[in-house]
């Protein structure tokens, strides 16, 4: 960060943030995209993305995100790493406190995305990295030829279960209902895969471990109340996501689940601050919807800046 004053600052470097960055830079706005850890967002932890148009046969999530980044660079987007601690609304300007340093801009695009939800079972935090994981692409290869479980019934759980069959001797997909929420094509693949066994109507009651890490789990059938023990060496938790919006608490209106209240036009409760991608209230969380949001937010920011200049 050589300068401290920008037209637009984008918080978050996932598909929404990068698209906003591409559009804003292409509109010749002085734009900075800030990322806390790793540019690319959720698709960096995804295997094959099959529903991003233009790539018949699919493309690996990280490869697609690298292409997004290259595209942003082409239009001169400035990016930097830093944690945004606070956003202050001063009316026509906004101040961001980033790792203790002040940056200012006329418009902010919040594209902070989501993080995987915890299961909230006793012992879970202590077993992270010792058998418990929230990312199959990151940790899957550590579980070669051993039995593992995936918890959840959505697209992420289904994709992770399928991916993990490359390594594990057996994958038990544990779901609390008798029907998956995942899209039909994934359900069909799960059914056709001999390495995946379903544990329907089941919840994780207990994690069993020794000094080496996770060794098993106790599952409870929610219909019969029966419990059974499953020997495992790995558990991948994919029970949904939570929005990363703590930094705007008290500044922007959020819904009961913490998502920033913003419609299709990405306008938040504060003029000049826009919310794009998975961190806003929306009905679909996809790369394609995040990309659409990023484009809209950048155009909204551009209009806002134009209006400020003419007021
Ligand atoms: P999700 O769709 O919200 O699914 C979460 C799953 O976890 C549900 O099956 C839910 O059960 C279960 N669950 C929630 N809390 C639980 C608990 N405490 N114990 C046990 N199970 C629990 O989350 P996601 O799969 O992470 O997906 C998030 C979003 O990203 C979705 O919109 C999804 O479509 C999208 N996504 C898309 C793709 C793709 O298009 N390729 C890939 C990944 C994710 P219930 O079903 O009973 O509620």
């Amino acid at each position: 960060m050589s300068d401290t004053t920008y037209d637009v600052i984008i918080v978050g470097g996932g598909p929404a943030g990068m698209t906003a960055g591409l559009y804003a830079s292409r509109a010749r706005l002085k734009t900075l995209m800030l990322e806390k850890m790793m540019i690319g967002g959720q698709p960096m932890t995804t295997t094959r993305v099959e529903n991003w148009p233009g790539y018949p046969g699919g493309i690996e999530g990280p490869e697609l995100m690298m292409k997004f980044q290259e595209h942003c660079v082409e239009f001169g987007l400035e990016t930097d790493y830093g944690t945004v601690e606070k956003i202050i609304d001063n009316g026509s300007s906004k101040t961001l406190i980033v790792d203790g340093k002040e940056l200012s801009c006329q418009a902010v695009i919040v594209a902070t995305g989501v993080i995987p939800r915890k299961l909230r079972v006793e012992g879970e935090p202590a077993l992270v990295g010792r058998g418990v994981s929230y990312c199959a692409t990151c940790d899957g290869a550590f579980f070669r030829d051993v039995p593992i479980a995936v918890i959840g019934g959505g697209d992420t759980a289904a994709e992770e279960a399928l991916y993990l069959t490359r390594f594990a001797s057996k994958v038990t997909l544990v779901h609390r209902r008798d029907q998956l929420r995942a899209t039909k094509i994934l359900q069909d693949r799960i059914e056709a895969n001999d390495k995946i066994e379903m544990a329907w109507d089941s919840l994780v009651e207990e994690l069993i471990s020794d000094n080496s890490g996770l060794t098993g789990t106790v599952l409870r059938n929610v219909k019969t109340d029966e419990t059974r023990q499953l020997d495992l060496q790995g558990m991948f938790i994919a029970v949904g996501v939570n929005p990363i919006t703590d930094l705007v608490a008290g500044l922007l209106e959020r819904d009961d689940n913490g998502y920033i209240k913003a419609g299709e036009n990405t306008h938040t409760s504060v003029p000049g601050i826009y919310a794009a991608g998975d961190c806003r209230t929306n009905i679909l969380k996809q790369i394609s919807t995040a990309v659409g949001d990023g484009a809209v937010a950048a155009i909204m920011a551009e209009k806002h800046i134009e209006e400020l200049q003419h007021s």
Side-chain angles (χ1 to χ4, degrees), residues 46 51 117-119 151-157 159 175-177 179 181 186 202-203 238-241 284-286:
T46 309
N51 50 5
R117 218 179 264 152
K118 306 283 182 286
L119 200 52
I151 319 300
D155 285 330
T156 306
E159 283 184 353
H175 184 36
R176 62 185 179 184
R177 292 187 294 125
Q179 198 183 7
R181 179 186 289 277
L186 293 174
S202 298
L203 282 174
V239 294
V241 290
L284 198 59
K285 293 190 189 342
Q286 302 277 312

Side-chain angles (χ1 to χ4, degrees), residues 82-152:
T83 302
V84 179
E85 288 148 12
K86 203 173 175 188
I87 303 173
I88 302 157
D89 175 34
N90 318 303
S92 58
S93 76
K94 320 289 173 199
T95 304
L96 279 78
I97 311 296
V98 186
D99 297 324
K101 187 177 164 186
E102 277 191 18
L103 298 178
S104 72
C105 60
Q106 291 174 283
V108 178
I109 296 172
V110 182
T112 41
V114 290
I115 45 163
R117 218 179 264 152
K118 306 283 182 286
L119 200 52
R120 295 178 184 277
V121 176
E122 202 183 327
E124 181 184 353
L127 285 167
V128 174
R130 297 175 57 237
V132 169
S133 170
Y134 303 88
C135 175
T137 51
C138 316
D139 300 327
F142 296 121
F143 298 90
R144 282 181 200 274
D145 303 320
V146 294
I148 59 145
V150 175
I151 319 300

Side-chain angles (χ1 to χ4, degrees), residues 39-57:
I39 289 173
Q42 285 286 300
M44 295 300 281
T45 61
T46 309
T47 49
R48 214 153 182 79
V49 177
E50 290 182 338
N51 50 5
W52 175 248
Y55 285 91

